[in-house]
Amino acid sequence: MSESDAPIRVVLAKLGLDGHDRGLKIVARILRDAGMEVIYLGLRQTTDSIVAAAEQEDADAVGLSMHNAGHMTLAPAMVGALRAAKLTCPVIVGGIVPDDDVEALLDAGVAAVLGPGASASEVAQVVRDAVAAAEASDDATVGGSKVET
Amino acid sequence: MARVHKPVDEHYSEAAAGSRLALGRLLTLVERGGPEADQLSELAHQDTGRAHVVGITGAPGAGKSTLTGQLVHRYVDAGRRPAVLAVDPSSPLTGGAILGDRIRMYDVSEVETGQGAPAPDDMSADRRPFIRSMATRGHSGGLALAVPLAVRLFDAVGYDPVIIETVGVGQVEVDVVGAADTAVVVATPGMGDAVQANKAGLLEVADIFVVNKADRPGANDVRRDLELMLDLSHMTGLDTMERGDADYRPPIVMSSALDGTGAENVIAAIDDHLVYLGQSDRLRRRREHRVRTEVRARLKQALDRRVDDLLATDEGRAMVAKAEQADLSPTEVATALLDILFE
Ligand SMILES: Nc1nc2c(ncn2[C@@H]2O[C@H](COP(=O)(O)OP(=O)(O)OP(=O)(O)O)[C@@H](O)[C@H]2O)c(=O)[nH]1
Ligand SMILES: [Mg+2]
């Protein structure tokens, strides 16, 4: 199959110990119905377990669901852990994040933040855009050389 | 996606030296097919033949992933380095998929990030399992090519055993598991599983039966049903026609994968089967069968392409038009095109 129609692969997980995974399951279905492959990790994941999965699954994006105040530390930690493992995939955060925090998360390298009100098509589009942007920046970083994986 | 900027052979050397990042990327190339996958196929081929390839199949929800997780833990504890290829169906409508096997592999992440992880300067000590989810993508031809190549790649870069999990429905999936060194068929109580396995053609490929969910009522009934079917197929001699081994009778192992009861016995049965294959030239014949299956899949794909190409030429379109105008029957058109194809 050609590169252009290879499905986007997304690792979906909930970081930390809180809550349920109802919202995450809904997102999983939305992304599947948008033609993506969702590697579903579910609840109680750590940054390490998500990095391990993203590496083995060659994920194009990591989607994190968060419903507590931990997002301000956990999401940037996730970005840092992925980059430390040389994984360039974008991190998308879903959950209730106050407006003030959104800006800070984006500054910290999170690719996008999706609120609970996002529609199915918005969710899918945000993932597609984030993946496309990351690929474009990969290509730009690499240029003609063979430095980057 | 478009992150593979290095030549395939560089990625391959890195993967062979223990880079999980490189291996992850290579597996994406495998799934995508095309010239890079072909190149990889050649590279990996030189290094294959060391891994014990184990297929695990059975009805949806039988506990294949849970069991696989238990096996993976035990293999790692025993100092081996297992890889898993977990195949899940894509939605035929959207091509998308939810790949959920990984989370069923109980606490595998603990092994991934915990004791199995090597010191950064000693990749050879890396005993972490490598688990890759693969969607069927509604391209059965693609699956028939991607699975064997992924298995060879795992083997070539040093994983052993290599476990393939598939739902035992479609023919391609049965073929894939049937092409393993050891095929494990998982049945469960209360679903008429023995009968289902029979219908799906799984009895013929099974080297080992696992009755999982043995903590549930009815497990012994499943065992009895399986024994009965084995007796029958043994009598008719139909069981092992393809792979030619009339004396072999698959063991039936009871398991409760949720808590790992019986997992040791499953491992022992898998090991025993390899020993059995090693007697006389059974292993060689089994692998010859596997190579033949892969070559056949590749030939089919290549022929399919040539057929599509031919039908797209002016000549092909003109011939098809003749059938549409009722000058020639579709059979006659196909015969004429076949001549063109092989001339
Ligand atoms: N009672 C009981 N439940 C089990 C056992 N093994 C697995 N399960 C449960 O059965 C369900 C399905 O388990 P999986 O391991 O995902 O089964 P699977 O065959 O991999 O399923 P698919 O990949 O979706 O076809 C889960 O809820 C497991 O917890 C067992 O030995 N006993
Ligand atoms: Mg499974």
Side-chain angles (χ1 to χ4, degrees):
Chain A
M1 111 174 12
S2 78
E3 191 153 308
S4 54
D5 51 42
I8 291 176
R9 289 167 69 84
V10 187
V11 164
L12 273 192
K14 196 146 182 177
L15 256 179
L17 295 172
D18 63 314
H20 54 77
D21 61 355
R22 217 178 314 134
L24 198 64
K25 281 184 172 150
I26 292 170
V27 174
R29 252 171 262 140
I30 288 173
L31 297 182
R32 177 199 60 191
D33 292 345
M36 299 183 201
E37 292 178 0
V38 176
I39 296 101
Y40 189 82
L41 301 185
L43 294 171
R44 284 184 287 281
Q45 298 299 309
T46 63
T47 51
D48 281 353
S49 69
I50 292 170
V51 167
E55 189 172 65
Q56 291 162 62
E57 302 287 358
D58 194 18
D60 298 303
V62 169
L64 294 180
S65 156
M66 299 200 174
H67 287 283
N68 62 12
H71 58 255
M72 286 311 287
T73 49
L74 288 175
M78 186 72 249
V79 176
L82 288 166
R83 303 298 172 256
K86 293 192 189 152
L87 290 162
T88 55
C89 50
V91 173
I92 298 143
V93 171
I96 302 161
V97 178
D99 285 349
D100 289 349
D101 290 356
V102 171
E103 207 58 38
L105 286 180
L106 297 179
D107 285 344
V110 169
V113 178
L114 280 163
S119 72
S121 56
E122 276 167 345
V123 171
Q125 197 54 46
V126 161
V127 174
R128 274 195 209 100
D129 290 347
V131 170
E135 277 178 23
S137 106
D138 274 359
D139 290 342
T141 325
V142 176
S145 82
K146 296 172 185 172
V147 190
E148 177 74 285
T149 349
Chain B
M1 306 235 79
R3 280 168 284 104
V4 182
H5 297 292
K6 288 183 193 173
V8 175
D9 53 350
E10 253 174 73
H11 271 304
Y12 180 73
S13 316
E14 288 177 12
S19 163
R20 294 158 71 81
L21 187 70
L23 182 54
R25 297 275 152 89
L26 286 175
L27 287 162
T28 299
L29 296 184
V30 167
E31 288 205 74
R32 216 171 277 163
E36 284 172 315
D38 293 349
Q39 193 190 341
L40 186 58
S41 172
E42 282 173 41
L43 285 168
H45 182 63
Q46 305 153 12
D47 302 324
T48 48
R50 290 170 297 192
H52 185 184
V53 180
V54 179
I56 297 189
T57 191
K64 301 177 292 294
S65 301
T66 312
L67 177 64
T68 301
Q70 296 285 359
L71 301 183
V72 161
H73 266 267
R74 284 164 178 75
Y75 283 127
V76 170
D77 287 346
R80 295 180 68 179
R81 199 173 163 219
V84 179
L85 188 66
V87 182
D88 258 344
S90 305
S91 152
L93 287 181
T94 67
I98 297 176
L99 307 169
D101 290 322
R102 199 179 184 93
I103 53 162
R104 294 288 186 206
M105 297 185 193
Y106 175 72
D107 272 353
V108 158
S109 63
E110 201 178 276
V111 201
E112 279 173 348
T113 56
Q115 94 253 41
D121 55 348
D122 187 12
M123 285 313 247
S124 63
D126 193 345
R127 291 196 278 108
R128 286 175 292 172
F130 197 107
I131 298 164
R132 178 67 172 226
S133 314
M134 190 182 271
T136 56
R137 295 184 181 181
H139 295 256
S140 46
L143 191 70
L145 292 179
V147 172
L149 179 49
V151 168
R152 286 196 284 120
L153 177 60
F154 278 133
D155 178 1
V157 302
Y159 287 89
D160 174 43
V162 178
I163 301 173
I164 315 161
E165 176 191 335
T166 76
V167 179
V169 285
Q171 187 57 47
V172 173
E173 288 172 297
V174 173
D175 284 351
V176 154
V177 166
D181 296 327
T182 301
V184 179
V185 172
V186 182
T188 51
M191 290 156 55
D193 257 22
V195 179
Q196 288 306 322
N198 195 13
K199 280 190 191 152
L202 291 177
L203 282 191
E204 285 86 346
V205 299
D207 298 304
I208 296 165
F209 286 102
V210 171
V211 177
N212 191 42
K213 309 199 185 182
D215 50 294
R216 295 235 181 117
N220 281 322
D221 298 341
V222 183
R223 178 186 198 113
R224 197 200 49 225
D225 289 352
L226 286 171
E227 296 280 10
L228 208 67
M229 297 223 189
L230 288 174
D231 290 344
L232 283 174
S233 64
H234 214 65
M235 278 192 293
T236 55
L238 283 172
D239 47 353
T240 47
M241 280 200 310
E242 171 86 336
R243 296 184 302 175
D245 216 340
D247 300 335
Y248 185 77
R249 187 181 172 99
I252 302 173
V253 185
M254 309 303 274
S255 146
S256 183
L258 220 44
D259 66 2
T261 308
E264 289 298 341
N265 299 335
V266 177
I267 295 222
I270 291 172
D271 288 348
D272 286 350
H273 183 252
L274 187 64
V275 171
Y276 167 80
L277 288 178
Q279 294 158 0
S280 76
D281 66 344
R282 291 186 189 98
L283 186 61
R284 188 189 56 74
R285 286 204 322 254
R286 184 65 64 96
R287 289 185 172 173
E288 195 182 279
H289 171 75
R290 177 151 87 228
V291 171
R292 196 181 314 124
T293 305
E294 189 177 348
V295 169
R296 184 187 291 137
R298 178 151 291 274
L299 270 174
K300 276 186 180 166
Q301 192 207 39
L303 282 176
D304 262 355
R305 289 228 175 103
R306 285 183 57 186
V307 168
D308 288 342
D309 289 350
L310 178 59
L311 290 176
T313 61
D314 289 344
E315 200 175 15
R317 273 202 295 268
M319 290 296 289
V320 173
K322 282 189 187 164
E324 280 165 8
Q325 293 149 13
D327 290 345
L328 291 173
S329 76
T331 312
E332 288 168 301
V333 170
T335 308
L337 287 172
L338 210 57
D339 286 340
I340 299 172
L341 203 58
F342 288 112
E343 80 192 358

Short mmCIF file of all heavy atoms in Angstrom, two decimals, chain B residues 4 14 36 82 89 93 97 126 151 154 156 167 197 203 205-206 223 227 277 289 310 326 331 340:
data_model
loop_
_atom_site.label_atom_id
_atom_site.label_comp_id
_atom_site.label_asym_id
_atom_site.label_seq_id
_atom_site.Cartn_x
_atom_site.Cartn_y
_atom_site.Cartn_z
N VAL B 4 10.76 7.66 8.05
CA VAL B 4 11.87 6.78 7.74
C VAL B 4 12.76 7.46 6.71
O VAL B 4 12.52 7.41 5.53
CB VAL B 4 11.38 5.42 7.21
CG1 VAL B 4 12.54 4.51 6.95
CG2 VAL B 4 10.44 4.81 8.22
N GLU B 14 20.80 -1.20 12.65
CA GLU B 14 20.47 -0.69 13.99
C GLU B 14 19.54 -1.63 14.73
O GLU B 14 19.72 -1.90 15.92
CB GLU B 14 19.81 0.70 13.88
CG GLU B 14 20.78 1.79 13.48
CD GLU B 14 20.07 3.13 13.30
OE1 GLU B 14 18.89 3.25 13.70
OE2 GLU B 14 20.70 4.03 12.74
N GLU B 36 10.82 -1.09 -0.44
CA GLU B 36 11.60 -1.11 0.80
C GLU B 36 11.36 -2.42 1.57
O GLU B 36 12.30 -2.97 2.15
CB GLU B 36 11.25 0.10 1.67
CG GLU B 36 11.89 1.37 1.14
CD GLU B 36 11.41 2.60 1.88
OE1 GLU B 36 10.18 2.69 2.10
OE2 GLU B 36 12.24 3.45 2.22
N PRO B 82 11.18 -12.80 23.79
CA PRO B 82 10.05 -13.04 22.91
C PRO B 82 9.58 -11.79 22.16
O PRO B 82 9.69 -10.67 22.65
CB PRO B 82 8.96 -13.51 23.88
CG PRO B 82 9.31 -12.87 25.18
CD PRO B 82 10.81 -12.71 25.21
N PRO B 89 -8.52 -7.41 13.40
CA PRO B 89 -9.22 -6.99 12.18
C PRO B 89 -9.41 -5.48 12.08
O PRO B 89 -9.66 -4.80 13.07
CB PRO B 89 -10.57 -7.69 12.29
CG PRO B 89 -10.73 -8.08 13.71
CD PRO B 89 -9.38 -8.18 14.31
N LEU B 93 -15.33 -1.04 6.78
CA LEU B 93 -15.94 0.19 6.29
C LEU B 93 -14.95 1.33 6.18
O LEU B 93 -14.86 2.01 5.16
CB LEU B 93 -17.09 0.61 7.21
CG LEU B 93 -18.35 -0.23 7.10
CD1 LEU B 93 -19.42 0.28 8.04
CD2 LEU B 93 -18.85 -0.23 5.66
N ALA B 97 -8.99 0.78 12.83
CA ALA B 97 -9.02 -0.37 13.73
C ALA B 97 -8.73 0.08 15.15
O ALA B 97 -8.02 1.07 15.36
CB ALA B 97 -7.98 -1.40 13.30
N ASP B 126 19.45 -6.82 26.40
CA ASP B 126 18.05 -6.41 26.35
C ASP B 126 17.15 -7.62 26.21
O ASP B 126 17.16 -8.31 25.20
CB ASP B 126 17.86 -5.48 25.15
CG ASP B 126 16.53 -4.76 25.22
OD1 ASP B 126 15.66 -5.17 26.01
OD2 ASP B 126 16.36 -3.78 24.48
N VAL B 151 7.57 -11.69 10.84
CA VAL B 151 8.09 -12.80 11.64
C VAL B 151 9.57 -13.03 11.32
O VAL B 151 10.40 -13.20 12.22
CB VAL B 151 7.26 -14.09 11.37
CG1 VAL B 151 7.95 -15.32 11.94
CG2 VAL B 151 5.87 -13.93 11.95
N PHE B 154 11.65 -10.26 13.00
CA PHE B 154 11.85 -10.50 14.43
C PHE B 154 12.92 -11.57 14.65
O PHE B 154 13.81 -11.42 15.49
CB PHE B 154 10.54 -10.98 15.08
CG PHE B 154 9.57 -9.88 15.42
CD1 PHE B 154 8.23 -9.98 15.08
CD2 PHE B 154 9.99 -8.76 16.13
CE1 PHE B 154 7.32 -8.98 15.42
CE2 PHE B 154 9.08 -7.76 16.48
CZ PHE B 154 7.75 -7.87 16.11
N ALA B 156 15.28 -12.49 12.59
CA ALA B 156 16.59 -12.06 12.13
C ALA B 156 17.29 -11.14 13.12
O ALA B 156 18.51 -11.19 13.26
CB ALA B 156 16.45 -11.36 10.77
N VAL B 167 -7.05 -13.90 15.22
CA VAL B 167 -8.37 -14.49 15.39
C VAL B 167 -8.54 -15.52 14.29
O VAL B 167 -8.31 -15.24 13.12
CB VAL B 167 -9.47 -13.42 15.28
CG1 VAL B 167 -10.83 -14.05 15.43
CG2 VAL B 167 -9.27 -12.35 16.31
N ALA B 197 -14.06 -24.60 15.96
CA ALA B 197 -12.68 -24.79 15.52
C ALA B 197 -12.65 -25.76 14.35
O ALA B 197 -11.91 -25.59 13.38
CB ALA B 197 -11.84 -25.32 16.67
N LEU B 203 -8.79 -27.39 13.37
CA LEU B 203 -8.37 -28.70 13.86
C LEU B 203 -7.19 -29.22 13.05
O LEU B 203 -6.28 -29.84 13.57
CB LEU B 203 -9.52 -29.70 13.77
CG LEU B 203 -10.60 -29.62 14.84
CD1 LEU B 203 -11.51 -30.82 14.75
CD2 LEU B 203 -9.98 -29.53 16.22
N VAL B 205 -4.85 -27.56 11.61
CA VAL B 205 -3.55 -26.90 11.80
C VAL B 205 -3.05 -26.99 13.24
O VAL B 205 -1.89 -26.69 13.50
CB VAL B 205 -3.58 -25.41 11.38
CG1 VAL B 205 -3.93 -25.28 9.91
CG2 VAL B 205 -4.50 -24.59 12.24
N ALA B 206 -3.90 -27.42 14.18
CA ALA B 206 -3.51 -27.36 15.59
C ALA B 206 -2.41 -28.36 15.92
O ALA B 206 -2.53 -29.54 15.61
CB ALA B 206 -4.72 -27.60 16.47
N ARG B 223 -12.86 -30.16 26.58
CA ARG B 223 -11.76 -31.10 26.44
C ARG B 223 -12.26 -32.40 25.82
O ARG B 223 -11.66 -32.93 24.88
CB ARG B 223 -11.17 -31.37 27.83
CG ARG B 223 -10.08 -32.36 27.77
CD ARG B 223 -9.59 -32.75 29.13
NE ARG B 223 -8.32 -33.34 28.91
CZ ARG B 223 -7.15 -32.86 29.30
NH1 ARG B 223 -7.06 -31.85 30.01
NH2 ARG B 223 -6.03 -33.41 28.98
N GLU B 227 -11.24 -34.13 22.28
CA GLU B 227 -10.73 -35.51 22.20
C GLU B 227 -11.52 -36.30 21.15
O GLU B 227 -10.96 -37.01 20.31
CB GLU B 227 -10.87 -36.23 23.56
CG GLU B 227 -10.04 -35.63 24.69
CD GLU B 227 -8.57 -36.05 24.66
OE1 GLU B 227 -8.13 -36.65 23.65
OE2 GLU B 227 -7.85 -35.74 25.63
N LEU B 277 9.40 -31.80 16.59
CA LEU B 277 9.71 -31.40 15.21
C LEU B 277 11.17 -31.68 14.86
O LEU B 277 11.50 -32.02 13.74
CB LEU B 277 9.42 -29.91 15.00
CG LEU B 277 7.97 -29.46 14.94
CD1 LEU B 277 7.91 -27.94 14.77
CD2 LEU B 277 7.21 -30.13 13.82
N HIS B 289 7.24 -25.74 4.22
CA HIS B 289 5.83 -25.40 4.03
C HIS B 289 5.61 -23.90 4.22
O HIS B 289 4.88 -23.25 3.48
CB HIS B 289 4.98 -26.22 5.01
CG HIS B 289 3.55 -25.79 5.06
ND1 HIS B 289 2.65 -26.09 4.07
CD2 HIS B 289 2.86 -25.09 5.99
CE1 HIS B 289 1.47 -25.59 4.38
NE2 HIS B 289 1.57 -24.98 5.55
N LEU B 310 -2.64 -5.28 -16.88
CA LEU B 310 -3.07 -5.70 -18.21
C LEU B 310 -4.47 -5.17 -18.53
O LEU B 310 -4.73 -4.68 -19.62
CB LEU B 310 -3.05 -7.24 -18.29
CG LEU B 310 -3.53 -7.85 -19.61
CD1 LEU B 310 -2.66 -7.36 -20.78
CD2 LEU B 310 -3.48 -9.37 -19.54
N ALA B 326 -20.82 -8.62 -26.01
CA ALA B 326 -21.32 -9.97 -26.21
C ALA B 326 -20.71 -10.68 -27.41
O ALA B 326 -21.23 -11.69 -27.87
CB ALA B 326 -22.85 -10.00 -26.29
N THR B 331 -15.22 -15.91 -20.27
CA THR B 331 -14.24 -17.00 -20.23
C THR B 331 -13.27 -16.91 -21.40
O THR B 331 -12.06 -17.03 -21.23
CB THR B 331 -14.96 -18.37 -20.27
OG1 THR B 331 -16.02 -18.35 -19.33
CG2 THR B 331 -14.00 -19.49 -19.96
N ILE B 340 -1.86 -13.52 -23.39
CA ILE B 340 -1.05 -12.29 -23.46
C ILE B 340 -0.14 -12.19 -22.24
O ILE B 340 1.03 -11.87 -22.32
CB ILE B 340 -1.96 -11.05 -23.55
CG1 ILE B 340 -2.81 -11.12 -24.82
CG2 ILE B 340 -1.14 -9.77 -23.51
CD1 ILE B 340 -3.87 -10.04 -24.90
#
